[in-house]
Amino acid sequence: MTSSVTPVKHLVAEARTFYNETFGNDPEIAVCAPGRVNLIGEHTDYNQGFVLPMALPLVTVVVGRQISGNKVSIVSASEALEESNRVDFDLPTSTTPLLPGKPRWANYVKGVIQHYRAHPLPGFQAAICSSVPLGGGLSSSASLEVAVYTFLQQLCPDDGDDKAKAMACQKAEHTHAGVPCGIMDQYVSVLGKEAHALLIDCRSLEAEPVPLVDPGLVILITNSNVRHSLTGSEYPTRRKQCEEAAQLLGKSSLRDATREDLEAAKDGMDNVTYRRARHVIEEIRRTSQAAEALRQQNYKEFGRLMVESHNSLRDDYEVSCKELDELVNAAMEVRGVYGSRMTGGGFGGCTVTLLQADVVEQVKQHIMEKYNGSPSFYITTPSEGARVLSL
C-alpha cells in the first residue's frame, strides 16, 4: 500500500488537540523537523566520509508552551510505543543531570535538554506527533531530537549555530539513547533544503546542496516493515571494526585510507575487518561519484552506484537481510528503474529507489507480487529542514 505523507498542518492540528486534551490549555509554540533518507553513503558518516541524504516530507512535530517552575511534562501521540506515552521530570541542574531511564523514547528528549546550548531553560509542557515511521531507517530519532531542540530554541534562544545544534542532538543520542551514531541524521534534519540532496563531508561538516528537481524522476521509499533485533548490538560492533581497521592502516579514520593502502595491509588483518574496511573506503568514493552524477543528471550512473552500494552493504558490511535484498531485486527487475538500495543502519527498515515517474505504479505492483511480506511505499521529494510553524 502507498502511505500518503500526512501534511504538516494536519500533524500540527493532531498535536494541538492531543496537547489540549492532556494539559487542558492551548499550545503557543509549534515546530517540526524532518526524517531523512540517505540516497548513498551508508556507514561512512562515523568514518568521517561523505554521505548524500535528503530531508523528507515526513516530520516530527512538537507543540507546547512555557510554564512556571522547573517541571517538564511531555506526551507522545505515537501508537507504536510499548511503554507509557507520558513522562514528567525536573529540568537538570549543575549537580543533578538528567539521566536516561524509562520510557525509552523520552531518553532522546532528555538528552537534548541536557545538552541544550543556552540557559536557563524554563519549565514546559509539550506534545509530540510524528509521521516518520519508527524503526524504518528514516531517522525518526534524529527527527525527534532536532524537533525538541528547535522547540527549546523558542523558549530560550541559543546562538543560532546550526552545526552546533546538530552536534548537540548527536551527543544526546550518544549519551542518553546509547547509540554511537554519526552526524548525518541530525545534520540533514537541521539543514535539509527543499529540492536538493545534501552532500555532507562528515569530517569538516561542510554541506553542499545538490539539485534534485527533475519532474520525470521519483524517489520511492519502500518500508520492508521488518526490524531484526540484531541492529542494537551490531552497530557498535561495526564501528569498532572500522576503528580497528583504521588503526591497522595507521590512519586516524578510514576516510584517509585508499584501496591500495587496504590491499597492502590485507595480510595483517582478518577477513572480516578487511571486508568492513573495503566497504567504507569504496562507499566514500562511490558517494563522491554519485553526487557528481546527480549534478550532471546522469541517473543511470547514479543508479549503478546505488546497486553497487547495496551489494557491498550486503556482502562486505553484512547489514542487509533477505527482506531488503528481495525488495532491491524486485525493483531492479522493472524497466525504468535506475537504482535501488537498502538505506539506514540495516537489518530491516527501508530501501530507496530512483526511478522514472511513469513506472511508479508498475514498480509498486511488481514489488508486492515478489516480496514475501507487506511493504509500505512513500513517494518523496527533498524537503526543508527544521522550522518553526504557525499555530
Side-chain angles (χ1 to χ4, degrees):
M1 59 160 197
T2 300
S3 296
S4 56
V5 175
T6 308
V8 174
K9 64 179 182 185
H10 292 180
L11 270 182
V12 171
E14 192 186 319
R16 189 178 184 155
T17 302
F18 186 50
Y19 177 93
N20 183 284
E21 287 168 354
T22 306
F23 299 112
N25 54 42
D26 288 323
E28 295 172 349
I29 298 163
V31 302
C32 75
R36 63 95 190 98
V37 66
N38 192 20
L39 299 174
I40 194 166
E42 217 65 75
H43 291 280
T44 51
D45 61 344
Y46 53 84
N47 288 291
Q48 298 190 357
F50 293 100
V51 290
L52 188 64
M54 65 179 220
L56 292 171
L58 300 160
V59 299
T60 297
V61 164
V62 178
V63 303
R65 68 189 296 167
Q66 179 175 334
I67 56 171
S68 57
N70 69 339
K71 296 229 172 284
V72 172
S73 297
I74 302 167
V75 286
S76 167
S78 172
E79 288 166 10
L81 298 176
E82 292 166 2
E83 311 164 281
S84 166
N85 74 333
R86 176 168 177 159
V87 66
D88 300 271
F89 52 86
D90 291 339
L91 286 165
T93 65
S94 54
T95 52
T96 54
L98 273 179
L99 299 173
K102 294 279 171 72
R104 279 167 304 187
W105 64 267
N107 291 334
Y108 298 98
V109 178
K110 289 176 179 174
V112 173
I113 293 170
Q114 182 63 45
H115 298 301
Y116 187 65
R117 300 175 52 258
H119 299 285
L121 276 170
F124 65 90
Q125 295 169 331
I128 299 164
C129 271
S130 186
S131 56
V132 189
L134 291 179
L138 301 180
S139 209
S140 55
S141 56
S143 169
L144 172 59
E145 290 151 6
V146 174
V148 169
Y149 196 103
T150 308
F151 179 82
L152 299 181
Q153 286 176 305
Q154 312 318 302
L155 296 174
C156 175
D158 67 354
D159 58 8
D161 182 330
D162 282 338
K163 288 182 185 177
K165 174 178 177 175
M167 289 171 79
C169 292
Q170 178 197 25
K171 195 172 179 184
E173 190 144 342
H174 289 187
T175 59
H176 284 65
V179 179
C181 62
I183 190 64
M184 168 178 66
D185 299 351
Q186 292 82 4
Y187 203 78
V188 72
S189 188
V190 171
L191 286 160
K193 200 169 174 217
E194 198 172 348
H196 291 77
L198 210 58
L199 179 67
I200 304 170
D201 180 334
C202 296
R203 171 183 283 167
S204 68
L205 289 189
E206 283 165 14
E208 182 193 335
V210 183
L212 188 51
V213 285
D214 189 325
L217 200 66
V218 159
I219 290 151
L220 177 70
I221 296 171
T222 307
N223 193 341
S224 67
N225 288 315
V226 298
R227 197 85 195 131
H228 294 293
S229 56
L230 275 165
T231 178
S233 56
E234 292 290 328
Y235 186 97
T237 304
R238 295 296 182 285
R239 187 165 183 154
K240 196 161 181 291
Q241 287 163 337
C242 291
E243 287 163 2
E244 284 166 4
Q247 213 169 3
L248 286 167
L249 294 170
K251 309 288 183 187
S252 63
S253 78
L254 289 177
R255 164 72 177 269
D256 297 318
T258 63
R259 187 66 190 272
E260 290 71 32
D261 294 332
L262 183 64
E263 295 307 323
K266 186 177 180 181
D267 293 344
M269 61 176 73
D270 64 76
N271 182 255
V272 171
T273 307
Y274 167 77
R275 286 188 293 116
R276 301 295 188 256
R278 180 168 64 183
H279 164 73
V280 172
I281 292 166
E282 291 291 296
E283 186 80 348
I284 291 171
R285 176 189 58 80
R286 270 192 291 273
T287 305
S288 299
Q289 289 176 334
E292 187 51 41
L294 203 54
R295 284 186 207 103
Q296 296 174 3
Q297 299 190 329
N298 185 349
Y299 305 130
K300 202 172 170 186
E301 172 64 5
F302 192 93
R304 184 188 70 76
L305 291 163
M306 286 175 85
V307 174
E308 212 177 83
S309 167
H310 180 79
N311 294 344
S312 176
L313 287 158
R314 179 192 66 203
D315 301 336
D316 277 354
Y317 222 64
E318 296 182 281
V319 290
S320 189
C321 59
K322 70 178 178 58
E323 293 91 349
L324 292 173
D325 297 341
E326 268 179 30
L327 290 173
V328 168
N329 293 339
M332 292 310 298
E333 285 168 358
V334 182
R335 198 181 175 89
V337 171
Y338 295 112
S340 186
R341 58 184 285 279
M342 61 154 275
T343 185
F347 306 108
C350 294
T351 62
V352 59
T353 304
L354 189 73
L355 67 161
Q356 292 168 5
D358 56 4
V359 297
V360 172
E361 291 308 316
Q362 197 183 332
V363 171
K364 281 160 45 181
Q365 192 56 44
H366 188 70
I367 287 173
M368 284 195 290
E369 285 166 10
K370 289 278 185 143
Y371 179 55
N372 200 14
S374 306
S376 306
F377 300 101
Y378 302 90
I379 296 161
T380 64
T381 49
S383 304
E384 60 182 307
R387 54 204 185 270
V388 180
L389 305 166
S390 55
L391 273 167

